[in-house]
Each structure stands twice: as C-alpha cells, then as structure tokens.
Amino acid sequence: MKSLKLISSAITMLLCFVTLAQERTITGTVSDANGPLPGVNISVKKSTKITTTNFDGKYSIQATKGDELVFSFIGCMTQTAVVKDKNVINIKMVDNSQTLQEVVVVGYGSTSGYVKNNYVRSDRKKQS
C-alpha cells in the first residue's frame, strides 16, 4: 500500500513538472517607425533556437514561460522580451544612430600602364 502511494505521488509530481515546462509557439511582428522589418534575428537566450522575420516582419519560435527572447537587427538597438502568459509578442525596434567620426582609406600597389593582350599572332623581327 505504501509503495502504491509513493508511485502515484511520483507520477503526480512528474506530471506537474511536465505541464509547467511545456514549450509553446510564440509569434508576433517586429517593426520600426517605418513599418515591418524583414530579416530581424530572434533567438532564445541561453539556447540554440534562432529564427528570422519574414518579408512582412512576422516570426514564430518555440519557447517556454520565463525564456528571454533577443531581437537584433543591423542599425537598431538590441531588444529583449520575456515570455509570459501571452503567445503573441510584438516588438518595435529603435534606431541606433551612430555616426562615423572619420574614415581612413589605405591603398597598396601601383600601376605601370595598360597591357593589351591579343590573340592575333604577331611576327617579331630578329635582332642582329
């Protein structure tokens, strides 16, 4: 009788842990001041799950409650969002306006004229 209670309580605890750690699909749209952004990278922090937004700025990724989503795009500041009870997370990216102070151009090599290569045979005179 004691072993039956022990087994049933272990199964109940296992079911509780499984239901709490279920993955679900998180969807949403990533945009900026001008509209939806295609090609934004979305990753789950401390995981290898990565996806990108499509042409309309929409994405879909598997995550569990409490996971942190990281949104990154060239020219925008990196945004983070924590997965809570909602399955839809919409993000508005903020421009990262940095300007260059100076540009250094370095060139190596030299040219010594243009050499024309022809496929026509030319006869050379013999020097005496």
Side-chain angles (χ1 to χ4, degrees), residues 14-64:
L14 180 64
L15 287 175
C16 290
F17 287 124
V18 169
T19 57
L20 289 176
Q22 284 185 346
E23 283 193 350
R24 55 189 180 175
T25 303
I26 306 298
T27 59
T29 304
V30 180
S31 61
D32 67 351
N34 299 326
L37 284 175
V40 176
N41 294 321
I42 300 110
S43 62
V44 178
K45 198 170 193 177
K46 298 181 182 176
S47 174
T48 59
K49 297 175 188 170
I50 298 173
T51 189
T52 58
T53 57
N54 64 6
F55 184 73
D56 297 324
K58 297 181 187 281
Y59 72 94
S60 167
I61 193 167
Q62 294 288 324
T64 59

Side-chain angles (χ1 to χ4, degrees), residues 6 12 16 20 22 24 26 29-30 44 46 51 60 63 70 75 77 84 88 92-93 98 105 118 121-122:
L6 182 65
T12 305
C16 290
L20 289 176
Q22 284 185 346
R24 55 189 180 175
I26 306 298
T29 304
V30 180
V44 178
K46 298 181 182 176
T51 189
S60 167
V70 179
M77 296 178 68
K84 296 182 181 176
V88 177
K92 188 165 188 171
M93 300 297 283
Q98 293 180 349
V105 178
N118 287 334
R121 182 178 172 198
S122 62

Side-chain angles (χ1 to χ4, degrees), residues 24-30 42 57 59 61 63 67-69 71 80-92:
R24 55 189 180 175
T25 303
I26 306 298
T27 59
T29 304
V30 180
I42 300 110
Y59 72 94
I61 193 167
D67 283 346
E68 191 172 349
L69 300 179
F71 299 83
T80 59
V82 177
V83 177
K84 296 182 181 176
D85 294 329
K86 295 184 179 180
N87 290 338
V88 177
I89 298 175
N90 296 323
I91 295 291
K92 188 165 188 171

